[in-house]
Amino acid sequence: LKGKVLVELGDEVNPDTTVASTFIPGNVQMLNVARQLNVEVDSVPDYMLVTVDSKVTKGQVIAETKGIFGLFKSQLKSPIDGTFTNVSNVTGQALISEPPIAIEVDAFSSGRIVEIIPEEGVVIESKGALVQGILGIGGENKGIIELLVDSPDEILTKDMIHNDHKGKIIVGGSYLTSEVFDHARKIGVNGIVVGGFDYTSLSDILGFNLGVAVTGSENLGISLMITEGFGRISMAQNTFNLFKHFNGKIASINGSTQIRAGVIRPEVIISHSEEIESKKLQEKDMIISEDSLVRIIRSPHFGKVAKVISL
């Protein structure tokens, strides 16, 4: 749907800034006026007390017969609040639309508006840290990062998650169970980042076997990002260190995943203005060579991060 862009080029935004909005038309209810008033179909418009495009309220009389000497009138009341949109002398039915549903799109991450897409949205440029995972579920969420474990191989347990973690993005180590996930969800945790998760448990949460992964539209209220894979797999040390460095900072998490053409990976964005030294990637860094860091994806060392010592 087309909408309205609410920000200008060059504006600075934070994750909660609404950048665009639109309205989805409400559901339409059909009322059989001819049957309920017991009148001829072609005469239905004559009995309507409201005009097309007028607002109506629940319980308002919208159609009425003249009765006999002003008595014994039949009435039809609106079952909802909405807009009277149409009446037909062919079908004898009237249409009432429920109020439109407002849809707002937020910025998701802090940054600067560098491009306006008319009637659709914006492009935001953000400086910070980006962590991509292997698989995730749940859509976009935001919150303060809270690291709950001391090492990347530690399991995230139920007793680590308390009421004061509501609205936060919690970071575990190597694994959490579906029971712990449900506990965090009930508390109101906005996001979880962990090394590994059980495939069967993930299917139970989704209600179907994952197969070719396309996720992100689940209405869970919580986002989960798995950084390594299925099973108990320690989070990569560099990833763990990054979350440790930004513990207490506001971050944005998106569990949306698409494992097919046009791959989309789940991610966490931590906007910041720190000056951090980083090695500039060169072409030779993009190929496997001696000293390259790689992830092993076959047994018996599945999930481990290793260094190439020889080719």
Side-chain angles (χ1 to χ4, degrees), residues 146-157:
E146 183 143 350
L147 188 63
L148 301 187
V149 295
D150 296 322
S151 67
D153 60 353
E154 191 174 347
I155 293 177
L156 188 62
T157 59

Side-chain angles (χ1 to χ4, degrees), residues 3-21:
K4 183 178 181 181
V5 176
L6 306 175
V7 292
E8 302 289 341
L9 199 66
D11 284 358
E12 295 287 337
V13 296
N14 59 48
D16 294 322
T17 302
T18 301
V19 297
S21 65

Side-chain angles (χ1 to χ4, degrees), residues 11-274:
D11 284 358
E12 295 287 337
V13 296
N14 59 48
D16 294 322
T17 302
T18 301
V19 297
S21 65
T22 190
F23 289 93
I24 294 178
N27 293 327
V28 174
Q29 291 208 18
M30 301 182 67
L31 305 176
N32 194 325
V33 182
R35 185 172 62 191
Q36 295 201 41
L37 296 185
N38 194 25
V39 297
E40 294 297 326
V41 169
D42 57 1
S43 65
V44 163
D46 298 332
Y47 298 105
M48 301 306 300
L49 302 181
V50 291
T51 57
V52 173
D53 293 331
S54 62
K55 301 291 183 183
V56 297
T57 58
K58 185 176 181 180
Q60 178 182 342
V61 178
I62 59 174
E64 184 179 68
T65 60
K66 296 179 176 58
I68 303 174
F69 303 114
L71 303 174
F72 309 109
K73 294 180 179 180
S74 296
Q75 293 182 331
L76 176 63
K77 297 180 180 180
S78 173
I80 58 168
D81 294 332
T83 303
F84 178 68
T85 57
N86 189 40
V87 61
S88 172
N89 60 359
V90 177
T91 64
Q93 293 187 326
L95 302 181
I96 298 179
S97 296
E98 295 178 0
I101 302 166
I103 299 296
E104 295 184 336
V105 179
D106 62 34
F108 181 58
S109 68
S110 299
R112 183 171 62 91
I113 306 297
V114 294
E115 183 183 341
I116 301 289
I117 305 171
E119 298 183 302
E120 292 186 13
V122 297
V123 176
I124 300 172
E125 182 179 79
S126 182
K127 181 179 180 181
L130 170 68
V131 182
Q132 288 189 321
I134 296 296
L135 184 71
I137 57 173
E140 297 178 355
N141 269 303
K142 295 170 285 290
I144 294 173
I145 295 173
E146 183 143 350
L147 188 63
L148 301 187
V149 295
D150 296 322
S151 67
D153 60 353
E154 191 174 347
I155 293 177
L156 188 62
T157 59
K158 191 174 179 179
D159 60 336
M160 295 178 181
I161 306 170
H162 312 296
N163 290 329
D164 57 355
H165 294 134
K166 181 178 179 180
K168 293 185 177 180
I169 298 173
I170 59 175
V171 180
S174 60
Y175 190 70
L176 84 160
T177 64
S178 58
E179 181 185 7
V180 177
F181 177 85
D182 289 338
H183 174 66
R185 185 179 172 187
K186 288 176 183 176
I187 283 178
V189 170
N190 278 1
I192 303 176
V193 182
V194 71
F197 196 65
D198 180 60
Y199 175 81
T200 304
S201 297
L202 192 64
S203 299
D204 291 341
I205 292 168
L206 294 173
F208 57 86
N209 290 328
L210 204 52
V212 178
V214 179
T215 71
S217 61
E218 304 82 19
N219 186 22
L220 300 175
I222 185 173
S223 302
L224 170 67
M225 184 173 90
I226 304 166
T227 64
E228 313 305 318
F230 291 119
R232 179 179 175 178
I233 311 175
S234 297
M235 184 180 293
Q237 188 66 53
N238 287 346
T239 305
F240 185 82
N241 290 344
L242 189 145
F243 282 117
K244 188 175 182 179
H245 179 83
F246 290 108
N247 193 33
K249 300 290 186 181
I250 294 176
S252 304
I253 183 172
N254 187 353
S256 300
T257 308
Q258 181 172 298
I259 311 298
R260 59 181 186 187
V263 171
I264 298 171
R265 292 291 185 185
E267 61 188 20
V268 172
I269 300 172
I270 310 163
S271 299
H272 69 85
S273 56
E274 293 183 28

